[in-house]
Amino acid sequence: MLKFAFYISHHGFGHTTRMAALAKKFNEFGIFVYIRSAKPDYLFQDLNPHLYEKEDTICDVGVKHKANLEPDKAATRLALLQLMGKRQEIIDREVDFLRKEKVDLIITDIPWLPVEAGTYAEIPVFAISNFDWIFIYDKLFGKQTDLKPVLNTIFGLYQRVDYAFRLPLSSTKSMGSFRKIEKTGLLAAYKPPNPELKKALGIDSQSPVLTCSFGGEGEMNLNWKNMCSAFPGTVISTRELKEIPNYIQIPSDFDFSSLISISDILLTKPGYGSFAEAIQSGTFLIYYPRKDYPEEEVLIKGISSYPQKIQLPELNLSVSEWKNVFHTALTFSGQRKIIPNRNKQVASLILQRYIELHYSQKKLNSIFDIGSNNLNYALCEAGKSVPVHTAQIKTGIGREYKIVKGTVRIKREAIKRFKSLVSNFMAYDQNIPSSKFVIATGIHRQSPQLQQLSEWFNKKWKAKYRLLKEGEEAELAYLAAKDLIPDKQSAIIIDIGGFSTQFIYSEPDSNIDRMSIPIGLLTIRKTVQEGKKLNNVLDKIAKSIPFWKADMIICVGLTATFLAKIVKRSRYYRPDELNGCRISLKELRTLKDILESGKNEEIANYAMEPESLDILYYSIQYYIFLLDRLQSSGFLVCYYGIATGYNQKLNKINKR
């Protein structure tokens, strides 16, 4: 599993919201993100709670402000010097963190000290922003020559960055401190318009909405009474105002992205976050520039082709002047423009550049294991048993099936949903320079409908499709788990899927016995739903399993790994830390008792799929039964699944 560390500027909220949007996309591809930021936790509420960890850390000071958000040069200078006085302390702390967590990549927006930490920790560093701090500080402190050593240090660190990505609303000068720089599309937090939001706020569906936001650095002087009196609808902001009938105060942690998407007008100062979130929704922009702030020029120039905007000459307008402004905005008859975000494309580009940087001389394989309920992904270096990255998504393709004349039938809607989910995931891998392979198991063996997916994978994704036989699947489970077997010991390897279970008996002299039974967690679930008792289902399985005796039992894949996360009470999903851990029969019985007592909240926070606790319960029962049957007190977890086993098999084939 790849692990990326995000270092986010403490300046304003725009850096934070766009980096949270980027982290969300990396989470979709199974990448674990460490957030190094002291901004409020609610700004990261859309991230996968199992795939990110946040620590309040400050690595830059941005620009300090006076009243009306004007730059305070003296306060900024003092804060900058104080930060650099703590330089060694910050570097030591971050190097220790990076090494301890085995971080693969640093992404900074746009503190410079993490670049130095990355140098010492021997980790590549990417930068992403619409400006760098040299651009800002050089203009603010241009005549203060005694600060040149500090600015030269910042410039020198930026020069070490491996790749820099320049966002829109920028210029070549505003990001001029980097060697390798690449332009990207818009990166912004986004929520699709929610028609229920107006209702929830008590706003009539036909009423115009004006949202006011001046970022995370304070307020600007504004005659709110005049402005609200002039607006023929509802005005919304976080400011506390009294006795204004058409005004709604919202809490500071309100989701502004969802609010902007339903607003007719956004009143704001120039800022990347505000501008980006407005132009991607087609919201009319009314803005008032700050004085002497270098970023204003590139931000305003960046929206020059966006027609739905008005730049105010001042904020303290009369009621009649505000009415004229709002009339112009609300009756805008020009051709409206929307500039959609490119969040997924930006994440995919960064991932591509990381892989090219780190594995340019290596042969890579992307392997997609499409089972009965999940897609399991492994990006592997050819010949290596430990993958570069693994991830999974729940497709639910086998959740609702029927048996018609001995054949598994899948609803068309389920196949359509499967293609949509898989396409969304595979788009991240598409530009990785790797050979693409799809291996199909479980329900795919029993459904001619799903076997027709081979053409879709081949044509759309240029991926070689292979339907595995039961024996082949068992062999791959063995290859995935074999590194956990000590020398001169025997092992039973078990891989429980949705539609089948693979058993492999491995002896010290490399003799392997294997078998597959057409029973898995989804078939057990369906059988129980049809009224049969779970114990009767398991008794039927017992007749199929030989009385093997072995030194150890290893359980392979997601079923075992997800269970281990709960048993070990792991708040975050870092499967490499679960690989090789032991789950005891006692722990399984304790977890079973908790589920049967109805105390689901005790485990819901640790479950990767809390909506599927019935499947979890069946898996626990199944494991308990198997351990009793095989006379064992526990098993080892192998989180590497058959996708990594297939990579090893490809290497053997290529050597022939």
Side-chain angles (χ1 to χ4, degrees):
M1 166 184 265
L2 289 172
K3 300 175 184 177
F4 292 174
F6 278 32
Y7 287 86
I8 305 174
S9 175
H10 199 58
H11 176 82
F13 278 7
H15 301 266
T16 306
T17 56
R18 70 191 182 200
M19 288 296 274
L22 182 61
K24 181 180 178 181
K25 292 303 173 185
F26 282 133
N27 280 175
E28 288 179 3
F29 195 60
I31 294 174
F32 194 96
V33 177
Y34 293 95
I35 302 294
R36 312 294 283 173
S37 167
K39 289 300 183 183
D41 292 353
Y42 66 79
L43 295 173
F44 303 95
Q45 62 187 351
D46 289 338
L47 273 60
N48 185 325
H50 302 287
L51 289 176
Y52 89 99
E53 183 177 355
K54 178 178 178 288
E55 184 175 346
D56 289 350
T57 298
I58 297 176
C59 289
D60 76 357
V61 294
V63 174
K64 303 301 179 183
H65 293 89
K66 301 177 184 177
N68 221 30
L69 296 179
E70 291 185 20
D72 188 330
K73 295 182 181 180
T76 303
R77 173 193 168 96
L78 177 61
L80 179 59
L81 292 174
Q82 289 175 337
L83 175 78
M84 294 303 281
K86 297 178 181 178
R87 175 181 175 183
Q88 196 58 51
E89 175 187 336
I90 294 172
I91 298 303
D92 289 345
R93 179 191 69 207
E94 295 310 308
V95 169
D96 287 345
F97 155 75
L98 294 165
R99 288 173 174 167
K100 176 186 175 184
E101 300 301 334
K102 300 177 181 178
V103 170
D104 296 290
L105 174 67
I106 292 170
I107 302 178
T108 181
D109 180 7
I110 187 114
W112 57 89
L113 292 179
V115 184
E116 187 169 10
T119 300
Y120 287 117
E122 300 182 50
I123 297 170
V125 182
F126 290 178
I128 183 167
S129 187
N130 65 312
F131 69 84
D132 61 56
W133 285 117
I134 289 295
F135 173 74
I136 302 295
Y137 292 151
D138 194 49
K139 288 182 179 285
L140 286 182
F141 305 124
K143 295 180 181 180
Q144 299 184 30
T145 56
D146 60 326
L147 279 181
K148 281 295 182 182
V150 174
L151 300 189
N152 288 342
T153 297
I154 298 172
F155 179 81
L157 289 174
Y158 279 154
Q159 284 281 294
R160 295 189 198 176
V161 167
D162 294 280
Y163 273 105
F165 301 90
R166 179 161 75 88
L167 297 172
L169 311 183
S170 65
S171 70
T172 54
K173 289 184 178 179
S174 70
M175 285 282 285
S177 297
F178 302 98
R179 294 177 296 110
K180 297 179 182 178
I181 194 160
E182 195 166 354
K183 292 176 67 175
T184 76
L186 195 69
L187 179 65
Y190 176 72
K191 289 290 177 62
N194 178 8
E196 296 299 315
L197 184 55
K198 276 190 173 184
K199 183 178 179 181
L201 291 170
I203 303 172
D204 183 86
S205 61
Q206 301 302 313
S207 176
V209 175
L210 166 65
T211 294
C212 305
S213 172
F214 297 104
E217 296 292 340
E219 293 287 343
M220 300 186 78
N221 295 330
L222 172 66
N223 188 322
W224 287 85
K225 187 174 182 179
N226 281 359
M227 190 261 292
C228 291
S229 297
F231 188 69
T234 303
V235 180
I236 303 174
S237 90
T238 59
R239 192 178 180 95
E240 183 179 359
L241 300 174
K242 296 179 179 179
E243 299 178 356
I244 298 181
N246 66 331
Y247 177 79
I248 295 176
Q249 181 187 6
I250 55 172
S252 59
D253 61 353
F254 198 90
D255 186 347
F256 267 88
S257 297
S258 62
L259 195 56
I260 290 173
S261 68
I262 66 157
S263 296
D264 299 273
I265 302 172
L266 174 64
L267 174 62
T268 185
K269 65 169 178 61
Y272 180 94
S274 300
F275 277 12
E277 291 180 39
I279 65 179
Q280 71 180 342
S281 297
T283 304
F284 200 100
L285 266 173
I286 300 176
Y287 62 91
Y288 175 69
R290 293 167 288 177
K291 292 182 180 179
D292 300 324
Y293 191 69
E295 190 189 3
E296 304 282 280
E297 179 184 343
V298 292
L299 288 170
I300 293 171
K301 186 176 180 180
I303 61 166
S304 60
S305 63
Y306 184 70
Q308 302 105 269
K309 65 180 185 298
I310 293 174
Q311 179 174 317
L312 297 175
E314 59 175 309
L315 275 179
N316 290 313
L317 305 179
S318 67
V319 173
S320 61
E321 288 171 328
W322 274 120
K323 283 185 177 181
N324 289 334
V325 169
F326 292 142
H327 178 76
T328 300
L330 293 173
T331 60
F332 178 78
S333 58
Q335 185 174 0
R336 287 188 171 270
K337 189 173 185 179
I338 292 177
I339 304 174
N341 73 65
R342 293 289 182 262
N343 295 354
K344 180 184 292 187
Q345 291 85 344
V346 174
S348 180
L349 175 63
I350 292 173
L351 178 64
Q352 179 185 351
R353 294 292 176 258
Y354 168 75
I355 295 298
E356 290 172 351
L357 179 69
H358 221 60
Y359 298 94
S360 60
Q361 304 301 316
K362 309 292 184 181
K363 176 175 172 50
L364 298 175
N365 295 319
S366 293
I367 302 163
F368 303 86
D369 163 24
I370 51 172
S372 305
N373 193 45
N374 296 291
L375 178 151
N376 300 312
Y377 168 81
L379 175 65
C380 304
E381 184 181 339
K384 300 291 186 180
S385 59
V386 177
V388 173
H389 180 56
T390 60
Q392 59 283 317
I393 58 168
K394 181 179 175 182
T395 64
I397 191 69
R399 284 266 168 164
E400 298 178 15
Y401 68 92
K402 292 182 179 180
I403 304 294
V404 180
K405 296 181 180 179
T407 300
V408 171
R409 300 292 298 175
I410 308 294
K411 292 181 179 179
R412 290 182 179 179
E413 294 79 7
I415 295 176
K416 184 178 180 180
R417 184 178 67 247
F418 172 87
K419 286 184 175 181
S420 175
L421 291 169
V422 171
S423 295
N424 184 59
F425 182 85
M426 294 187 77
Y428 291 100
D429 174 86
Q430 190 172 20
N431 294 322
I432 292 177
S434 62
S435 300
K436 320 293 185 185
F437 301 92
V438 174
I439 52 177
T441 63
I443 196 172
H444 298 263
R445 286 192 284 262
Q446 302 179 46
S447 172
Q449 287 174 284
L450 297 184
Q451 291 169 26
Q452 293 173 10
L453 289 170
S454 64
E455 184 178 0
W456 181 74
F457 279 110
N458 287 329
K459 286 188 175 181
K460 184 173 179 63
W461 298 108
K462 304 296 186 289
K464 298 178 182 178
Y465 176 97
R466 180 179 177 84
L467 180 64
L468 298 181
K469 297 178 181 178
E470 291 90 341
E472 291 178 297
E473 186 177 353
E475 178 192 1
L476 299 184
Y478 165 74
L479 290 174
K482 64 181 178 62
D483 287 348
L484 288 176
I485 306 173
D487 290 340
K488 300 180 180 180
Q489 288 199 19
S490 59
I492 299 171
I493 299 164
I494 303 172
D495 186 358
I496 300 175
F499 256 63
S500 64
T501 304
Q502 314 302 321
F503 296 90
I504 306 95
Y505 176 62
S506 168
E507 294 181 327
D509 57 2
S510 298
N511 288 331
I512 297 174
D513 191 9
R514 58 196 176 196
M515 66 167 293
S516 175
I517 59 174
I519 297 173
L521 295 179
L522 292 182
T523 60
I524 290 174
R525 177 176 179 259
K526 188 172 184 63
T527 302
V528 172
Q529 288 176 341
E530 292 172 350
K532 295 182 181 179
K533 292 184 178 181
L534 181 57
N535 287 338
N536 292 340
V537 177
L538 297 176
D539 288 341
K540 182 180 178 181
I541 296 173
K543 299 175 182 177
S544 306
I545 305 173
F547 281 100
W548 285 317
K549 292 288 186 180
D551 297 308
M552 63 191 308
I553 294 177
I554 302 173
C555 293
V556 171
L558 284 188
T559 302
T561 307
F562 284 2
L563 182 59
K565 183 179 183 297
I566 297 171
V567 169
K568 303 304 181 184
R569 298 297 195 267
S570 297
R571 170 68 177 81
Y572 304 108
Y573 184 61
R574 293 189 280 244
D576 49 319
E577 296 175 7
L578 297 171
N579 190 56
C581 76
R582 188 175 188 276
I583 296 180
S584 69
L585 188 57
K586 182 180 179 181
E587 287 173 318
L588 290 173
R589 286 176 173 153
T590 298
L591 193 56
K592 173 177 171 288
D593 291 342
I594 292 173
L595 285 170
E596 290 178 343
S597 70
K599 298 178 181 178
N600 295 346
E601 66 278 2
E602 287 190 29
I603 61 174
N605 288 334
Y606 305 102
M608 289 293 288
E609 297 178 357
E611 74 284 1
S612 302
L613 294 185
D614 59 335
I615 296 291
L616 173 67
Y617 179 73
Y618 300 143
S619 71
I620 293 168
Q621 288 277 68
Y622 198 179
Y623 279 125
I624 290 173
F625 163 78
L626 291 174
L627 291 177
D628 284 339
R629 168 74 175 177
L630 298 169
Q631 298 179 3
S632 177
S633 61
F635 63 82
L636 295 186
V637 173
C638 174
Y639 107 86
Y640 303 123
I642 65 172
T644 58
Y646 193 71
N647 179 63
Q648 295 178 62
K649 185 173 182 178
L650 285 172
N651 188 56
K652 290 182 179 180
I653 293 172
N654 291 333
K655 284 183 176 180
R656 290 174 184 170

